[in-house]
Amino acid sequence: MQQQALKVRSPETQVSSDPTSAVAMIVPSIRMLDRDAWDACFPGEIETYDYLLAVEEAGIDGFEWRYAIMREGDEIVAAMPAFLCRYALETTLEAGRFRRTVEGIRRIFSGFLTLRLACLGSPCTETASIGFHPDIAQARRPKLFAELLNAFEAHARMEGCSLTALKDLPHPIPSGLEPVLAARGYAEIGGLPTACLDIGFDTIDAYFAALSSATRKDMRRKLRSRQEVRIEYRKDFNDLLPRVMQLYRETRERSGLQFEELTPAYFDGVLKGMPGRSFCAMYFVGDDLLAANLLIHDKDRLIDKFFCMDGQKGRSHNLYYLSWCTNLEYCLNHGIGRYQSGQAYYRNKVRLGSRLTANAMYFRHSNPLLQFALKMMSPLFAADDGGEVTA
């Protein structure tokens, strides 16, 4: 079936005679957009066009991909990735009585607390970047964002989505953009923070020296088993992909928060689609692969995308903590100034020296009464995965 874009013009644009007036478009595949034009809106971003293409082509069940852009002539001047799905509201809940109650009700009423969602952002990116072409003045950006949001909301209605959202916008939101959301009645809900560790040290010993004495002692104890582990950096999975997926599925089952379920095509696609900017660190004891760590990077930042581990054997060799130090050593050896370790288990990452950047989600239901109810209930659904490492 031929892919077509939904074009949405604002009323102001419709009457404008200026040939450079911005036109909003929602397209179903990033292949319909120029790679350089898209990436120009996201300077300094690691999860670029190629990463989003790998996500799109991974065959992740339950998601329809969209790309919202504002175009002036041949240039993309504003852009955001997006997705459509059926969203269970308890997704961000930790395991407990309330979550079990919701799941029990759903076994009888399958649609309970499940809504058709249209969301700006991506379930597979670290945060939701609102991209603007560098030549677009700051003063113009709120208006472009408002027009892009108008177009996406119109698309959501056309697709039968009652809930519209923006996922994991980092705080502080760029100046002038939050009033656009407030004017449309979007409610804010806290998301998981992003953990980053600045590489302000020259050696791992210097890193340890900056930790608390208890954490330093604990880390040195955990790394005693390092000599038993063989670490390999791989640019492809080859015949090890089935084992990596087994580790991934086991790790996912142990996690309290589950949204998307990644596929072999995702892992393989990231490595093949981002040569020189991605790799997998693999941890062997003998010939047994016990852990795999998918990472992407540029010259300034290393992002830990997924760490998958055999629960019992991996813990006995403290592979989570070994991988942490291995990634810091990679940064030191390659002159990378920041290690970004994602959102899960953030309390433990703070203990290991990371700082946190707040993220927020914004949502709006098309029914005002349901929007009010969801807003009142939103503290129950605020994401919190700060507990102990379960990988």
Side-chain angles (χ1 to χ4, degrees):
M1 181 179 296
Q2 185 177 5
Q3 294 173 324
Q4 295 183 346
L6 169 70
K7 298 184 179 181
V8 182
R9 291 180 179 267
S10 70
E12 185 177 71
T13 303
Q14 285 179 336
V15 300
S16 173
S17 60
D18 182 355
T20 64
S21 292
V23 177
M25 301 177 67
I26 312 296
V27 301
S29 172
I30 201 168
R31 285 194 179 276
M32 299 175 68
L33 305 173
D34 180 76
R35 174 183 280 100
D36 292 338
W38 177 274
D39 286 344
C41 293
F42 299 93
E45 181 57 71
I46 298 177
E47 293 169 322
T48 57
Y49 181 106
D50 292 326
Y51 177 78
L52 293 172
L53 179 60
V55 171
E56 178 185 317
E57 298 189 339
I60 300 173
D61 188 48
F63 291 86
E64 303 171 42
W65 308 110
R66 299 291 188 271
Y67 306 87
I69 66 167
M70 298 296 297
R71 187 187 293 279
E72 289 183 347
D74 294 332
E75 293 287 351
I76 297 175
V77 294
M80 288 191 77
F83 62 94
L84 312 179
C85 71
R86 290 193 61 79
Y87 180 68
L89 293 181
E90 82 279 5
T91 297
T92 55
L93 291 176
E94 292 184 275
R97 180 179 297 177
F98 183 60
R99 181 166 182 165
R100 289 194 297 271
T101 299
V102 173
E103 291 171 345
I105 295 172
R106 184 170 291 121
R107 283 193 286 270
I108 302 172
F109 302 102
S110 60
F112 181 68
L113 288 185
T114 300
L115 301 172
R116 176 83 167 147
L117 169 68
C119 187
L120 288 163
S122 170
C124 300
T125 58
E126 298 298 298
T127 58
S129 297
I130 305 172
F132 295 99
H133 193 281
D135 292 342
I136 298 299
Q138 292 291 333
R140 286 196 62 201
R141 296 186 178 194
K143 182 176 182 296
L144 285 173
F145 176 57
E147 293 180 352
L148 184 144
L149 192 56
N150 284 340
F152 187 68
E153 289 173 348
H155 186 71
R157 290 191 296 271
M158 184 184 73
E159 293 284 352
C161 297
S162 58
L163 187 66
T164 308
L166 296 91
K167 181 181 182 294
D168 289 335
L169 287 180
H171 276 197
I173 294 174
S175 177
L177 301 189
E178 191 160 17
V180 174
L181 294 169
R184 284 162 171 75
Y186 281 83
E188 179 180 346
I189 182 173
L192 291 173
T194 299
C196 293
L197 197 159
D198 291 325
I199 312 298
F201 43 86
D202 296 326
T203 65
I204 290 296
D205 284 339
Y207 162 67
F208 283 160
L211 302 175
S212 70
S213 59
T215 302
R216 182 166 57 250
K217 181 179 179 180
D218 182 51
M219 287 294 287
R220 292 191 186 281
R221 178 182 60 81
K222 282 180 164 57
L223 294 180
R224 287 173 186 167
S225 60
R226 184 170 191 164
Q227 293 181 348
E228 303 169 15
V229 181
R230 184 176 84 257
I231 304 171
E232 295 182 9
Y233 292 135
R234 298 285 189 98
K235 297 180 181 179
D236 52 60
F237 291 104
N238 291 330
D239 59 344
L240 289 173
L241 185 56
R243 173 58 173 163
V244 171
M245 293 310 299
Q246 179 186 8
L247 295 173
Y248 166 72
R249 285 188 289 269
E250 291 175 0
T251 302
R252 185 175 184 272
E253 285 301 313
R254 295 192 298 270
S255 174
L257 299 179
Q258 299 182 9
F259 190 22
E260 77 285 356
E261 183 172 359
L262 300 177
T263 63
Y266 168 83
F267 285 88
D268 204 38
V270 169
L271 292 192
K272 290 180 177 178
M274 302 179 68
R277 295 174 290 155
S278 65
F279 64 94
C280 186
M282 296 189 177
Y283 295 81
F284 297 85
V285 174
D287 293 329
D288 194 2
L289 177 63
L290 297 184
N293 194 183
L294 180 67
L295 301 112
I296 60 176
H297 66 92
D298 61 11
K299 61 183 179 62
D300 300 315
R301 184 167 41 126
L302 177 69
I303 297 180
D304 186 340
K305 289 303 298 181
F306 291 99
F307 179 75
C308 316
M309 186 177 78
D310 181 299
Q312 183 176 356
K313 294 179 182 178
R315 284 195 189 93
S316 68
H317 290 89
N318 296 300
L319 293 187
Y320 174 84
Y321 296 95
L322 175 56
S323 74
W324 183 274
C325 289
T326 299
N327 292 341
L328 296 185
E329 288 175 341
Y330 185 92
C331 291
L332 289 170
N333 293 336
H334 293 83
I336 295 174
R338 179 171 297 172
Y339 172 48
Q340 183 171 320
S341 55
Q343 296 180 329
Y345 319 121
Y346 59 84
R347 294 190 189 109
N348 187 62
K349 292 171 181 177
V350 170
R351 185 175 72 94
L352 295 176
S354 298
R355 60 179 176 81
L356 301 180
T357 300
N359 299 308
M361 296 177 281
Y362 292 83
F363 67 90
R364 191 187 75 176
H365 197 282
S366 57
N367 184 310
L369 290 178
L370 286 177
Q371 172 68 3
F372 177 79
L374 290 173
K375 187 174 181 179
M376 293 299 100
M377 295 171 61
S378 63
L380 293 173
F381 302 111
D384 182 9
D385 190 24
E388 296 300 316
V389 173
T390 59

